[in-house]
Amino acid sequence: DNTHQILEKDTQEIFDNIPGKGGEKTIKLEANGFRFYDTTSTSGSQTGINMGAMLAAAYSFVSAMSKLGSVEIPLVSDSPVTGMDPMTIEGWVQEVWPLFPQLVLLTTPGERKLIEHGPEGVGEEMLYSEEVRRMTIHREKENKKGQPQKGKMIVNEDQEWFKSYGARRAN
């Protein structure tokens, strides 16, 4: 019971620091997952929650588990900011990113731009810091616009390529 209370408290504290969740929410960790309560309502638990709030809660929970276990858990995430608005993305960059000693983020060019262009520019600063290793995975023969979609997949560590790669959606 004590461990559960600590985990719930730490999850809530981290979650509270992330903006853009659609209002004040209280998280309860139950046997079948998170249960959200709107602190401004007396109607009890919410039946639905926006994607940004759900993602923020999940990241907060993993970080709280890491803290509780005194272990360094790397965060591996495919499309980590999908479903978040720019304010929530910037909050994620400021609050969640620093909680993990290592991150492996698989992002689309569109997500990269969302991270770069947050309201306060924090994402661009974090993304292009000396501590971050950036790579682009693309087809061997394609240009920065993703054309033509030919050749084997390669890993490209050129930083200018990373900053400007923006393949179009495949047909």
Side-chain angles (χ1 to χ4, degrees), residues 104-106 133-142 150-159 161-162 165:
V104 176
L105 307 176
L106 306 172
R133 182 174 174 193
R134 296 161 296 278
M135 295 175 242
T136 307
I137 299 172
H138 62 88
R139 297 245 178 227
E140 187 175 41
K141 296 179 183 179
E142 73 180 330
K150 295 187 179 190
K152 65 181 180 175
M153 299 300 286
I154 62 169
V155 175
N156 183 340
E157 293 192 60
D158 180 84
Q159 297 309 295
W161 186 277
F162 179 86
Y165 179 73

Side-chain angles (χ1 to χ4, degrees), residues 120-131:
E120 296 179 28
V122 175
E124 185 171 28
E125 182 180 319
M126 295 277 288
L127 186 59
Y128 295 106
S129 77
E130 291 294 320
E131 296 176 9

